[in-house]
């Protein structure tokens, strides 16, 4: 949770386009210090770019993305967070996106990636996503077939 002044500044460019009630709800969620447990005392990687070949090793197309937040705790364990607004947090495509990010980033971390989360910035909900290596790889392969 950030200060109210910082939250208002972060959302200033949306002031003219968002209804006031929605803007105030976003500010409230951004100020919630318990929205992402451990945020204030963990190693943080924000907007972390990730690249991955669709079919590693054969010069195939590269998929890119940006993980909103990776947190590393004192035990060396990593957690992945993806921020969403509106109804996007409840959409299955958002779950698949987190799983793909987990697949793409896992091999680059210096510790185990143990949790994935979707953060609904408007509703304040934080929803766990199954990012086990098996599930992440299965999702990746399923989507990669469509992209090739």
């Amino acid at each position: 949770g950030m200060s109210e002044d910082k939250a208002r500044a972060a959302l200033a460019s949306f002031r003219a386009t968002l209804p006031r009630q929605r803007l105030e709800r976003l500010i409230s969620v951004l100020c919630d210090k318990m929205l992402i447990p451990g945020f204030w005392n963990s190693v943080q990687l924000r907007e972390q770019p990730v690249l991955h070949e669709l079919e590693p090793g054969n010069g195939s197309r590269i998929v890119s993305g940006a993980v909103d937040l990776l947190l590393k705790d004192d035990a060396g364990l990593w957690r992945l967070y993806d921020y969403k607004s509106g109804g996007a947090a409840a959409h299955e495509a958002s779950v698949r996106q987190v799983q793909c990010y987990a697949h793409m980033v896992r091999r680059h971390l210096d510790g185990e990636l143990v949790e994935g989360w979707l953060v609904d910035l408007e509703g304040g909900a934080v929803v766990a996503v199954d990012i086990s290596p098996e599930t992440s790889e299965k999702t990746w392969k399923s989507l990669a077939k469509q992209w090739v």
Side-chain angles (χ1 to χ4, degrees):
M2 58 181 71
S3 72
E4 185 174 338
D5 289 342
K6 284 185 179 181
R8 287 189 184 284
L11 296 170
S13 63
F14 298 104
R15 180 169 282 140
T17 58
L18 288 178
R20 182 169 186 201
Q21 184 179 14
R22 186 174 183 195
L23 184 65
E24 292 301 318
R25 188 171 58 243
L26 282 165
I27 290 168
S28 175
V29 170
L30 289 175
C31 293
D32 180 359
K33 292 197 182 315
M34 295 309 297
L35 182 64
I36 300 176
F39 181 84
W40 298 106
N41 57 356
S42 298
V43 172
Q44 302 174 13
L45 298 176
R46 298 181 195 192
E47 294 297 322
Q48 184 64 41
V50 290
L51 302 169
H52 196 73
E53 283 185 287
L54 285 177
E55 296 173 346
N58 71 358
S60 66
R61 292 184 353 192
I62 294 176
V63 174
S64 66
V67 176
D68 289 330
L69 179 65
L70 288 160
L71 294 181
K72 180 181 177 184
D73 66 18
D74 291 339
L77 302 175
W78 289 92
R79 288 160 178 80
L80 184 156
Y81 294 86
D82 194 51
Y83 304 131
K84 299 295 180 194
S85 62
H91 198 280
E92 182 61 30
S94 296
V95 170
R96 290 192 304 268
Q97 180 182 8
V98 170
Q99 291 168 333
C100 284
Y101 281 165
H103 177 79
M104 294 167 72
V105 76
R106 180 174 271 116
R107 66 187 173 134
H108 300 290
L109 299 174
D110 63 355
E112 184 181 0
L113 179 62
V114 294
E115 295 175 358
W117 299 90
L118 277 170
V119 180
D120 180 345
L121 291 176
E122 290 188 62
V126 182
V127 179
V129 175
D130 178 1
I131 60 157
S132 66
E134 300 79 19
T135 299
S136 298
E137 184 174 352
K138 180 180 177 183
T139 299
W140 175 262
K141 286 180 177 181
S142 171
L143 292 173
K145 284 181 194 176
Q146 299 172 30
W147 298 330
V148 174

